[in-house]
Amino acid sequence: MKFGMVGGIAFVIDYGLMNLLLLTHMHNILATSISFFVSLVFNYLASMKFVFKHRPDMARWMEITIFFVSSFIGWIMNEVIVWISTSWMPHDSMYTMHTQYILWTNIGKLVATVVVMVWNFAIRKWLLDDTHTNAMNRLRRGSAKLTEAELAAKRERSVAHRLGMWSIEHAPFGWK
């Protein structure tokens, strides 16, 4: 629920700024890049405060690295999809076919938003959220639920825990 609320606000920031920039005849790739990164800063601050719990077994520098590397990959996906949405149009279409250019950019951005949202949720839930193992256990019924010991063992074997422990042991300049 919180992920959706933060994402909704980031969506409004992203789309609002993108469309303002497009109205000034800015190229869609530049406009979507600027709006993506502005909404990314908001999304990072809000997500780390309201959505995802800090993993006590992971250094903050690793959380930030995971967030921004996954966001960089999301940005690449975003830009490729937006580029595809208008690549078939004439080179000067941002001036000569401005309304259609904005329309097709928005359609591409909608597709990109869905793809990037799924990517971001999956990778951040997998690597940043401390509660994912226990949350999955709550979905199990009766005797299929894991015991506390089984949950702890599963957490210890997880990629996120191993990555987190490595990040604490290898924190640069004492960043923990």
Side-chain angles (χ1 to χ4, degrees), residues 152-169:
K154 189 172 183 176
R155 195 173 289 119
E156 296 265 332
R157 289 189 311 267
S158 72
V159 172
H161 176 73
R162 287 184 278 152
L163 181 62
M165 295 310 293
W166 181 89
S167 71
I168 289 170
E169 293 168 11

Side-chain angles (χ1 to χ4, degrees), residues 9-171:
I9 295 168
F11 175 85
V12 169
I13 292 168
D14 194 0
Y15 271 80
L17 183 55
M18 176 193 74
N19 279 295
L20 283 174
L21 295 171
L22 288 172
L23 287 173
T24 68
H25 296 279
M26 184 178 284
H27 192 278
N28 65 352
I29 299 301
L30 182 57
T32 56
S33 290
I34 291 169
S35 67
F36 184 93
F37 286 110
V38 169
S39 71
L40 175 66
V41 171
F42 165 78
N43 197 332
Y44 173 74
L45 296 172
S47 288
M48 295 315 281
K49 181 156 181 82
F50 301 112
V51 179
F52 297 109
K53 288 175 142 184
H54 169 65
R55 297 181 63 93
D57 62 346
M58 184 176 288
R60 287 273 184 199
W61 72 268
M62 182 57 77
E63 286 180 343
I64 293 168
T65 301
I66 290 167
F67 190 92
F68 283 101
V69 168
S70 68
S71 295
F72 179 76
I73 294 167
W75 170 69
I76 298 293
M77 290 183 224
N78 183 73
E79 297 310 299
V80 167
I81 294 168
V82 168
W83 177 80
I84 289 170
S85 74
T86 58
S87 64
W88 55 272
M89 297 179 82
H91 182 67
D92 65 347
S93 60
M94 77 176 92
Y95 302 108
T96 60
M97 303 168 65
H98 193 241
T99 302
Q100 294 94 330
Y101 185 76
I102 290 175
L103 175 67
W104 282 104
T105 297
N106 274 275
I107 290 169
K109 182 68 173 171
L110 279 172
V111 172
T113 297
V114 171
V115 171
V116 173
M117 179 185 65
V118 170
W119 160 257
N120 282 338
F121 182 78
I123 200 73
R124 291 174 188 166
K125 189 74 174 162
W126 180 47
L127 295 177
L128 289 178
D129 192 13
D130 187 35
T131 62
H132 72 280
T133 304
N134 195 33
M136 294 305 289
N137 196 39
R138 285 191 297 255
L139 297 176
R140 295 173 181 234
R141 295 181 184 198
S143 63
K145 287 193 183 236
L146 301 174
T147 66
E148 285 300 318
E150 290 169 324
L151 276 174
K154 189 172 183 176
R155 195 173 289 119
E156 296 265 332
R157 289 189 311 267
S158 72
V159 172
H161 176 73
R162 287 184 278 152
L163 181 62
M165 295 310 293
W166 181 89
S167 71
I168 289 170
E169 293 168 11
H170 296 87

